[in-house]
Structures are given as structure tokens and as C-alpha cells.
Amino acid sequence: MIQESGNSRALTQWTTAMALSGTIGAVVLESGAEAPAVAFARCLVGGLLLAAWCATRGWLRPAALRSGLTPRDLTLAVLGGVLLVGNWVLLFASYALSSISISTVIYHTQPLLLVGLAAALLGERITSSHLVRAIVAFAGVALISLGAQGSGGEPVGIAGVALALAAAVLYAGASLIAKQLAHIRPHLLAAIQCSVGAVLLAPALAYTPLPSDTGGLLWLVLLGSVHTAVMYVLMYASIGKLPTGTVALVSYLYPVVAVVVDVLAYDHRITLVEGIGMVSVLAAAMTPRGSRTRRVREPRGAVSRDSDRCGTRTRAHR
């Protein structure tokens, strides 16, 4: 009975986190800020709150840091943070050039890109199943590029599609680095990487400033607090307590919610060709991998997504 209660709570936490992930795009657009400023605010607010969370649990004590974080770990964490924050900037920029739903769905090619990078850099094996799924997914991306329409009914800009794909590549790279950091507490790694992002993006505020209106600033505070700090706490508190199949299935909420928000709030009209492309990408990229292949751990500090789905660690959204 206690175990069932714990699993029910974990399921609620994971479901909430995935639903929140699907609304990130709307928060980004409503802030009215450009992508670098949005990413900076997410890093600053989210990083401070995650650091406070770690401090209350004693994970930031000098003795704890010395025993659990080597110079090599810190170097890898910083490099992963650079890739993670770059992925956020590209993804946020893609929303305005395509749409929330298009960018989010294309971003979900990340698990397949992760497999390809793992094969190229770590020598992990690619099966025929992976190849078939990759072909299906990127055929779906092509259909989206050809058949999707923007808010005014015009064809979607190819630049938005390219930025979403580039964001997925960067996130896959961050995932490979995080594979080497599985021994670090995920909340601590997230706090480190957000701190790296805040430092890197601070100079960009001279060219892409934060919103001058209170409303825009409040949207960014919401992004950093609820859609970053709270969302990560929910994900990391639940993912290890749920079966892989449940994690993968509920993860579909992320792109589904993003599509629903885009349709209802931004009047995005999904064409038949675009819809077929979306289904192709999600079916190929989010199908759990077979047991014959080794799993690649996704960023524990990211997620998911912002961040992943195919039965591995989640991506930090995005």
C-alpha cells in the first residue's frame, strides 16, 4: 500500500512536470523578450532557486563539494552547461520563427540524434531499428518544413526548423557529457549549469535587454521559478520511482500540450501534411529503445528536455 501510494505521487509529479514543459513556449513568447534574455533569466532565477534547494540539504557544504565534485567533473559540468544553455537559446529563438508546436515536435528528434552521437563518439552500436526510426523521424521533419503554416497562413520559415534541429543537436551533446557525471546529484548539476549560463549570457543583455515592463519580467520569473526550479525538482523526485514504460508514455504530454497551447492560444492551424510529419517524428523518436542496445543517460541537470523520453533520463525543457 505504501509503495502504491509512493508510485501514485511520483506519477502525479512526473505528469505535472511534463505538462509544465508543454507550456514553456507560451511563457517565452508572452515575455516579449528575445531568446538570449529569456535564457539568461531562466538561468539566473532557476539557478538561484536550485542552489537554495541544494543548500538546504547540505549539498553545498565545502566538505560535500570536495568529496563529490572533482576538477574534471567541474570542467565537464561547465562544458555541458554551455551546450545546454546554447540549446535553450536556439530553441527559444525557433518559437518566433516557426511556432511552439513545430519547434517542440522537431526538438523531439533529440533521442535519435543522441544515439547517432553516441555511436560516432563513444562507439555505441546502432541497430537497424534505430536507422529506420531516424529515417521516419527526419522524413517527418521534411514534411513539417514543406507543409506547415505560420500564424498568417504563410509557409513556416525554414530558419525556425533549422534552429530547433540545432537545439536538439546541442542537447544531445550535453547528454553525452552528462553520461560522465551520473554520480553528481542532478539538482546540484542543474544549479552549476544554470550558473554557467547566467555568466555566459549576461553580456548579451547589452544587445537583447530584459523586458522593461513588469508583465514581461513576471513571465520570466515564472519561467525560472516554476518551469525550471520547481519542474526539475518534480522530475528528479519522480523519474526513478516509475517504470520506464510509464515515463515514456507520460512524456508524450510534453509535445501534446505544446501543440494544444499553440492551437488554442496562438491560432496555429495544423495542415494535413504537417500533422503527418508531427506524428512521424513523435512515433519514431519517442518509441522506447529495444533491450539489445545500451542506454545513454540524458542530462541529469537538464531537460529536458528543458528534456528525453525514450526510457532514459528526462530532458530539461526546454
Side-chain angles (χ1 to χ4, degrees):
M1 180 68 69
I2 295 178
Q3 183 177 4
E4 290 180 359
S5 176
N7 287 344
S8 176
R9 180 180 180 183
L11 178 60
T12 300
Q13 291 171 326
W14 183 251
T15 301
T16 302
M18 293 303 98
L20 284 173
S21 296
T23 63
I24 287 177
V27 175
V28 170
L29 293 182
E30 291 301 315
S31 74
E34 295 188 47
V38 175
F40 169 81
R42 187 181 196 189
C43 289
L44 181 64
V45 177
L48 288 174
L49 292 176
L50 286 169
W53 176 275
C54 293
T56 60
R57 280 151 182 76
W59 301 339
L60 295 183
R61 293 173 183 170
L65 291 175
R66 284 195 299 269
S67 63
L69 194 64
T70 67
R72 176 181 180 274
D73 291 338
L74 185 58
T75 300
L76 288 175
V78 170
L79 179 57
V82 172
L83 296 178
L84 179 66
V85 173
N87 135 79
W88 284 349
V89 172
L90 295 180
L91 181 62
F92 295 164
S94 74
Y95 292 148
L97 295 176
S98 56
S99 77
I100 294 171
S101 54
I102 291 171
S103 295
T104 301
V105 170
I106 291 175
Y107 187 69
H108 276 76
T109 57
Q110 184 275 144
L112 298 173
L113 294 170
L114 177 57
V115 171
L117 286 179
L121 300 178
L122 302 179
E124 297 194 3
R125 187 165 65 94
I126 296 181
T127 67
S128 58
S129 172
H130 286 132
L131 291 175
V132 170
R133 289 167 55 205
I135 292 171
V136 171
F138 289 101
V141 171
L143 288 175
I144 292 172
S145 302
L146 294 172
Q149 294 182 352
S151 58
E154 73 282 359
V156 68
I158 194 64
V161 173
L163 287 176
L165 280 174
V169 171
L170 290 186
Y171 188 80
S175 300
L176 291 183
I177 291 174
K179 184 179 181 183
Q180 310 300 317
L181 301 174
H183 56 286
I184 299 178
R185 294 184 184 276
H187 306 80
L188 177 59
L189 182 57
I192 292 172
Q193 294 182 331
C194 283
S195 299
V196 170
V199 171
L200 286 178
L201 292 172
L205 296 181
Y207 306 97
T208 58
L210 294 170
S212 57
D213 61 295
T214 302
L217 291 174
L218 288 177
W219 280 111
L220 294 182
V221 171
L222 178 67
L223 178 67
S225 57
V226 176
H227 292 81
T228 305
V230 172
M231 190 176 76
Y232 285 165
V233 169
L234 290 174
M235 289 193 299
Y236 295 139
S238 58
I239 189 171
K241 301 175 184 177
L242 296 172
T244 295
T246 300
V247 170
L249 180 62
V250 178
S251 294
Y252 275 96
L253 268 180
Y254 174 20
V256 168
V257 169
V259 171
V260 171
V261 168
D262 203 15
V263 170
L264 296 182
Y266 298 99
D267 200 30
H268 180 71
R269 293 291 176 259
I270 300 176
T271 66
L272 177 61
V273 174
E274 178 187 352
I276 294 173
M278 286 183 169
V279 171
S280 299
V281 171
L282 295 179
M286 298 181 68
T287 301
R289 282 184 272 167
S291 59
R292 292 187 303 170
T293 59
R294 290 187 293 172
R295 289 182 180 178
V296 179
R297 189 183 300 271
E298 296 199 10
R300 302 187 68 184
V303 87
S304 134
R305 216 57 255 133
D306 272 244
S307 116
D308 268 51
R309 312 301 179 193
C310 303
T312 57
R313 288 283 179 184
T314 184
R315 96 177 31 110
H317 216 185
R318 343 251 148 3

